């Protein structure tokens, strides 16, 4: 173990990513809604590194702008002359006494446990290298070992002999090495190889020549070290990542009906005995309390779902709070600022925005409730609409406890409905209504005696 040696991280992210066929720089393509590079930066952060240097190139301004909040040092590699050249760009920021951990910005699923293991094996006399055995090693640098199984060098695919090509142990590219030695070896790299590049991998043979041991560490799973070069690979790692999210939730006591049909794009905290049905998407900061059921095809974004909530299929909940024991859906839409106090029923094709819905109140069918303060025990009839917008400004509607609106009522804001007000069906309410009384605006129903339906004239 390298004792208390401090760690600095260098993340290589200057590659072009041409095979993505995208305007977006490769490392900004998302997995679980988060850029590839951000995954790597956040995993590296778990090592409490003193400094994290990101070597950028292609699309650098866009990358820096998108990741402006990350605590990293940005270093440009103007021309992509190879991985060794890339690491060398970070040399001015590399402390001699630190252990330098080299990561790739396009290898997003590397785990911090693996990196701890790697870093702990590195010191001034040992270079630690993350390697893996692959059934198909094509394209990767091969790990060349001597008859005692000691690592001697890495040979790139394009420089390898037939016998070297048969080696199935490959270089993941991730390694940990003392800063002082790294800088020395980098300064001596040459580019006389098949690709005319400065290969970082050439430092392995230099280490061996300088009596530095090279120790291999292996990841738990191959997915940890897979890179993204194309969209199929992006999709493969997205699923691998989602599988991990689903497993983490199941370990915490969540029933996930189909772990292959759950998408987490953010941070989810959960209670116990929750069920997530198929095709649920959870985005941003989502909290789901005990015993909640989330039905098929629900999308929940930055929201809080209370205890025992029953959310039927096809609901969209965005920046909202669903109080305990509420039943919502199918087909309910809660927009930002919707707060359900609890025991609520929100039915199909109901949209609620920037409104508080008091305890036990029901909005069961085909309604729009916007900018409203609703008391407890209210019953909103089918098709009730709050007309909250006059074309220029938004206005609030206040609805007292136990009020009841008939079907197709329009509440023209600003307006206040008293507690236990009853509104007759089809009313357009533009003035405040008194408590405990029936209010309605309705033209009288008449029947015309002697009226006849028109008939078609004979020509
Ligand atoms: C590299 C390794 C190879 C290893 C493979 C694992 C070398 C010479 N080869 O090969 O042994 O099996 O990764 O995927 O190191 N990059 C820069 N600047 C550059 C070149 C690359 O920042 O000038 C970055 C890329 O963005 C990428 C990483 O370094 O994140 C690896 O580059 P890539 O071109 O994919 O390396 P390979 O040739 O595949
Ligand atoms: Ca590559």
């Amino acid at each position: 173990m390298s004792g208390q040696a401090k760690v600095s991280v260098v993340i290589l992210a200057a590659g072009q990513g041409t095979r993505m066929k995208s305007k977006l720089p490769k490392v900004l393509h998302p997995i679980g809604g988060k850029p590839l590079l951000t995954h790597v930066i956040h995993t590296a952060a778990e090592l409490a590194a003193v400094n994290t240097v990101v070597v950028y190139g292609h699309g650098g301004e866009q990358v820096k702008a998108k990741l402006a909040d990350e605590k990293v040092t940005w270093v440009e590699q103007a021309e992509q002359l190879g991985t060794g050249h890339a690491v060398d760009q970070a040399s001015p920021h590399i402390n001699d006494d630190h252990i330098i951990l080299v990561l790739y910005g396009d290898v997003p699923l590397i785990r911090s446990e693996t990196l701890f293991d790697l870093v702990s094996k590195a010191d001034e006399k040992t270079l630690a290298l993350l390697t893996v055995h692959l059934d198909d090693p094509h394209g990767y640098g091969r790990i060349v070992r001597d008859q005692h199984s000691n690592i001697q060098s890495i040979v790139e695919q394009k420089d390898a002999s037939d016998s070297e090509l048969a080696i199935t142990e490959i270089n993941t590219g991730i390694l940990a090495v003392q800063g002082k030695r790294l800088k020395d070896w980098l300064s001596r790299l040459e580019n006389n190889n098949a690709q005319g590049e400065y290969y970082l991998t050439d430092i392995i043979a230099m280490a061996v020549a300088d009596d530095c041991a090279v120790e291999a560490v292996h990841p738990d799973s191959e997915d940890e070290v897979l890179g993204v070069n194309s969209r199929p690979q992006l999709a493969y790692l997205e699923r691998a990542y989602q599988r991990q999210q689903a497993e983490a939730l199941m370990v915490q006591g969540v029933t996930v009906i189909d772990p292959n049909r759950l998408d987490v794009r953010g941070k989810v905290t959960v209670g116990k005995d929750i069920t997530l049905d198929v095709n649920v998407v959870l985005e941003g900061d989502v909290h789901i309390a005990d015993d909640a059921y989330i039905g098929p095809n629900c999308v929940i974004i930055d929201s809080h779902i209370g205890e025992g909530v029953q959310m039927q299929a096809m609901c969209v909940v965005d920046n909202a709070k669903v109080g305990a024991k509420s039943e919502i859906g199918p087909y309910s839409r809660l927009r930002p600022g919707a707060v359900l106090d609890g025991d609520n029923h929100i039915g199909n094709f109901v949209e609620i925005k920037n409104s508080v819905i008091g305890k036990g109140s029901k909005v069961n069918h085909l309604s729009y409730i916007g900018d409203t303060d609703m008391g407890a025990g209210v019953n909103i009839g089918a098709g009730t609409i709050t007309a909250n917008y006059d074309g220029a400004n938004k206005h609030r509607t206040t609805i007292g406890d136990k009020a009841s609106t008939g079907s197709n009522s329009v509440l023209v804001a600003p307006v206040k409905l008293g507690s236990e007000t009853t509104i007759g069906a089809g009313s357009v309410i533009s003035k405040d209504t008194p408590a405990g009384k029936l209010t309605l605006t309705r033209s009288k129903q008449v029947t015309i005696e002697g009226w006849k339906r028109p008939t078609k004239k004979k020509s």
Side-chain angles (χ1 to χ4, degrees):
M1 165 91 200
S2 57
Q4 280 76 43
K6 292 187 168 123
V7 176
S8 283
V9 176
V10 177
I11 302 175
L12 303 188
Q16 297 268 343
T18 39
R19 275 184 282 162
M20 296 298 284
K21 306 226 167 72
S22 176
K23 289 187 289 297
L24 194 66
K26 177 166 76 174
V27 292
L28 289 187
H29 279 264
I31 279 189
K34 186 162 107 175
L36 297 174
L37 180 55
T38 309
H39 280 272
V40 180
I41 291 171
H42 289 178
T43 305
E46 292 178 47
L47 299 174
V50 178
N51 191 11
T52 296
V53 182
V54 178
V55 181
Y56 69 93
H58 181 72
E61 294 316 312
Q62 217 179 327
V63 176
K64 280 201 277 184
K66 176 84 184 178
L67 274 63
D69 292 342
E70 303 298 336
K71 282 197 212 68
V72 297
T73 305
W74 297 96
V75 170
E76 187 179 11
Q77 185 195 22
E79 254 190 300
Q80 274 80 70
L81 302 179
T83 50
H85 179 261
V87 175
D88 200 31
Q89 304 312 295
S91 279
H93 304 277
I94 289 177
N95 186 304
D96 280 355
D97 302 324
H98 288 187
I99 295 300
I100 311 304
L101 173 65
V102 177
L103 300 174
Y104 285 2
D106 56 2
V107 178
L109 299 193
I110 187 71
R111 292 182 321 128
S112 58
E113 290 84 350
T114 304
L115 298 179
F116 272 116
D117 191 14
L118 192 75
V119 163
S120 72
K121 298 225 156 74
D123 57 29
E124 71 273 25
K125 293 190 242 58
T126 315
L127 183 157
L129 186 65
L130 193 65
T131 77
V132 72
H133 286 270
L134 293 183
D135 292 339
D136 177 13
H138 184 85
Y140 291 95
R142 309 296 207 282
I143 307 296
V144 180
R145 290 175 183 263
D146 68 10
Q147 66 269 37
H148 308 295
S149 200
N150 292 319
I151 294 177
Q152 295 301 298
S153 62
I154 296 175
V155 57
E156 291 304 299
Q157 169 85 26
K158 286 181 180 150
D159 301 291
S161 65
D162 284 349
S163 63
E164 288 165 339
L165 289 175
I167 298 170
T168 57
E169 185 183 10
I170 64 99
N171 172 35
T172 64
I174 294 171
L175 56 83
V177 56
Q178 192 210 33
K180 186 169 179 220
R181 307 210 80 167
L182 174 64
K183 284 198 263 185
D184 170 34
W185 296 324
L186 289 177
S187 71
R188 286 152 49 196
L189 284 181
E190 288 175 38
N191 65 350
N192 49 355
N193 51 52
Q195 303 186 81
E197 287 183 4
Y198 296 93
Y199 289 165
L200 178 63
T201 45
D202 283 349
I203 72 169
I204 304 304
M206 291 177 174
V208 173
D210 288 350
D211 275 330
C212 177
V214 179
E215 199 174 322
V217 168
H218 308 298
D220 268 6
S221 134
E222 221 176 276
D223 292 347
E224 275 190 63
V225 297
L226 292 181
V228 173
N229 294 305
S230 64
R231 298 202 200 222
Q233 288 169 342
L234 183 70
Y236 174 84
L237 288 184
E238 173 77 37
R239 236 347 82 200
Y241 173 80
Q242 293 302 348
R243 203 57 225 200
Q244 290 171 6
Q245 305 309 301
E247 249 143 58
L249 289 170
M250 292 188 283
V251 166
Q252 292 172 77
V254 175
T255 293
V256 177
I257 298 291
D258 183 353
N260 292 313
R261 286 186 286 169
L262 170 67
D263 285 77
V264 176
R265 300 172 190 157
K267 194 168 155 286
V268 179
T269 55
V270 289
K272 299 265 183 298
D273 292 312
I274 291 158
T275 297
L276 301 180
D277 216 319
V278 300
N279 294 329
V280 167
V281 178
L282 305 174
E283 254 182 65
D285 285 332
V286 173
H287 176 73
I288 307 176
D290 292 356
D291 304 314
Y293 166 75
I294 311 296
N297 301 314
C298 288
V299 178
I300 304 176
I301 305 161
D302 290 317
S303 292
H304 187 291
I305 311 300
E307 230 177 279
V309 165
Q310 299 294 303
M311 191 182 297
Q312 303 305 328
M314 318 286 182
C315 292
V316 178
V317 177
D318 182 0
N319 278 277
K321 190 166 178 285
V322 182
K325 301 197 172 59
S326 294
E327 292 174 26
I328 79 168
Y331 296 101
S332 301
R333 179 177 183 206
L334 303 186
R335 290 173 53 200
V339 174
L340 313 188
D341 278 348
D343 289 312
N344 301 106
H345 289 192
I346 307 298
N348 46 280
F349 305 107
V350 171
E351 174 180 345
I352 298 180
K353 185 214 75 171
N354 193 24
S355 296
V356 175
I357 308 297
K359 228 176 181 177
S361 292
K362 299 176 180 173
V363 190
N364 268 326
H365 332 266
L366 303 158
S367 278
Y368 171 59
I369 304 295
D371 303 311
T372 296
D373 301 296
M374 189 185 295
V378 171
N379 188 62
I380 297 293
T384 298
I385 301 290
T386 55
N388 59 327
Y389 186 52
D390 61 14
N393 297 298
K394 302 260 168 75
H395 302 281
R396 291 199 78 84
T397 299
T398 304
I399 303 177
D401 292 346
K402 295 186 189 160
S404 172
T405 68
S407 300
N408 266 16
S409 304
V410 179
L411 312 177
V412 183
V415 71
K416 282 193 172 82
L417 273 54
S419 57
E420 296 187 43
T421 271
T422 302
I423 304 293
S427 297
V428 175
I429 301 296
S430 52
K431 296 191 206 98
D432 294 356
T433 68
K437 293 188 174 152
L438 170 67
T439 302
L440 49 82
T441 65
R442 194 186 289 166
S443 41
K444 273 219 166 78
Q445 178 170 329
V446 292
T447 303
I448 311 298
E449 295 301 335
W451 176 85
K452 288 215 167 58
R453 279 188 189 179
T455 52
K456 229 178 188 150
K457 279 186 190 134
K458 280 177 191 146
S459 52

